[in-house]
Amino acid sequence: MGLQLREPGSGKDALPDPVTSGVLWQWEPAQHWCCRLRSLCKWQGQRTFIYSLLTRGTPYPASFLLRGIVFCIGNGLLQSYYLIYCAEYLQEWYTDVRFSLGIFLFILGMGINIHSDYALRQLRKPGEVIYKIPQGGLFTYVSGANFLGEITEWIGYALATWSVPGFAFAFFTLCFLGSRAVHHHRFYLKMFKDYPKSRKALVPFIF
Ligand SMILES: NC(=O)c1ccc[n+]([C@@H]2O[C@H](COP(=O)([O-])OP(=O)(O)OC[C@H]3O[C@@H](n4cnc5c(N)ncnc54)[C@H](OP(=O)(O)O)[C@@H]3O)[C@@H](O)[C@H]2O)c1
C-alpha cells in the first residue's frame, strides 16, 4: 500500500481493519485517525504537561489527583475509541456548519481558558497562598472565566464530532464546572466587599 491520501469519510469499510490486518502503522488510516484525534490530544497535552508545571495552587489531597487520573483515562479512552472505531464522517461533514462552528468554539474556548488560567496564576507571587479578585479578559464579566472557556471548548468539540460521547462530556463539564463557577462566585461575594456587582458567575450579563 502506498502513501496516498484518502479522502476523509470515503468509507470506513474501505479501510483495512487495523487490528486483524496488522496495518496500524500504515499511512492512510493513521492519518485519518490523527486528523480526528488532533484537537483532543493537543488539549490533553496542554493540561498535563504545561498547566500542571505552571500552576501556583495550594496542595490538595492525593485522592483528588487519583480521581482526576481515572476520569481522564476513562474519558480519553472513550472519546478516542469512538473517534477511531465508531465515527464515520462523510467528506461533506468538513464543510458542514456544525463542524465549522464546533472548531471555532473549540479554539475560542481554549484561548479563553488558557488566558484565564494565566490571569489567575498572575494573582499570586511565588509562595503566596492568598486569594485576590481576578481581573482582565472575561473575568471582567464572570467569576468563572476559566470554566466558561473550558465549557465552550467541549461544547465545540461535541458539535464538531456530533457524537454521543462528545455531548456527554460537554454536559458533564457544564454541570461540574458550572457548579464550581457558582461556588467561586459566592465565595468572592462573601470574601471581597468591593467585588464588582455587575460580574456574573458563568454567563456574561445573564447568570
Ligand atoms: N474538563 C473538566 O472536566 C475539568 C475539570 C476540572 C478542571 N478543569 C480545568 O482545570 C483548570 C483548573 O481547574 P481548578 O478547578 O483548579 O480551577 P480554579 O479553582 O479556578 O483554580 C485554578 C488555579 O488558580 C488559583 N486561584 C483560583 N482563584 C484564585 C484567586 N482568586 N486568587 C488567587 N489564586 C486563585 C487556584 O489556587 P488554589 O488551588 O490555591 O485554589 C489554582 O491554582 C481550569 O482551567 C479548569 O477549566 C477541567
Side-chain angles (χ1 to χ4, degrees):
M1 186 176 287
L3 297 183
Q4 318 149 285
L5 293 179
R6 182 193 295 278
E7 278 186 50
S10 59
K12 194 173 63 170
D13 291 343
L15 295 173
D17 180 332
V19 178
T20 55
S21 66
V23 292
L24 196 64
W25 53 272
Q26 287 182 349
W27 172 247
E28 289 183 42
Q31 195 238 16
H32 201 157
W33 298 346
C34 283
C35 287
R36 294 179 182 194
L37 289 172
R38 199 176 297 150
S39 311
L40 192 65
C41 293
K42 267 189 198 162
W43 181 243
Q44 294 302 350
Q46 193 283 138
R47 173 72 66 225
T48 309
F49 299 112
I50 301 178
Y51 177 83
S52 59
L53 292 176
L54 294 176
T55 185
R56 288 185 186 162
T58 48
Y60 55 88
S63 61
F64 284 19
L65 178 70
L66 282 177
R67 274 188 257 171
I69 290 173
V70 169
F71 173 78
C72 287
I73 290 176
N75 183 54
L77 282 175
L78 174 71
Q79 304 296 337
S80 311
Y81 185 91
Y82 178 82
L83 288 177
I84 293 172
Y85 293 110
C86 310
E88 194 169 346
Y89 299 105
L90 300 175
Q91 177 67 35
E92 295 82 65
W93 179 250
Y94 298 97
T95 51
D96 191 290
V97 68
R98 288 166 292 179
F99 180 77
S100 307
L101 181 64
I103 294 292
F104 171 74
L105 288 177
F106 185 87
I107 294 169
L108 177 71
M110 189 167 169
I112 293 172
N113 181 266
I114 291 174
H115 175 265
S116 307
D117 278 340
Y118 170 79
L120 285 177
R121 247 186 338 263
Q122 297 311 304
L123 291 174
R124 287 177 178 163
K125 297 188 183 77
E128 246 182 8
V129 289
I130 54 169
Y131 288 93
K132 299 178 187 173
I133 299 179
Q135 305 287 357
L138 276 195
F139 280 116
T140 311
Y141 306 101
V142 291
S143 302
N146 53 340
F147 301 136
L148 175 62
E150 183 102 19
I151 291 166
T152 305
E153 203 178 305
W154 295 115
I155 289 176
Y157 174 82
L159 276 175
T161 59
W162 204 249
S163 64
V164 174
F167 279 102
F169 183 37
F171 181 68
F172 165 82
T173 306
L174 174 65
C175 297
F176 182 57
L177 295 185
S179 66
R180 284 186 63 78
V182 170
H183 175 271
H184 279 34
H185 188 63
R186 287 188 186 144
F187 171 80
Y188 290 144
L189 286 173
K190 211 166 136 188
M191 178 143 178
F192 303 111
K193 296 288 165 253
D194 55 341
Y195 197 68
K197 294 286 172 281
S198 60
R199 201 179 286 190
K200 300 289 181 187
L202 185 67
V203 185
F205 313 111
I206 298 175
F207 172 71

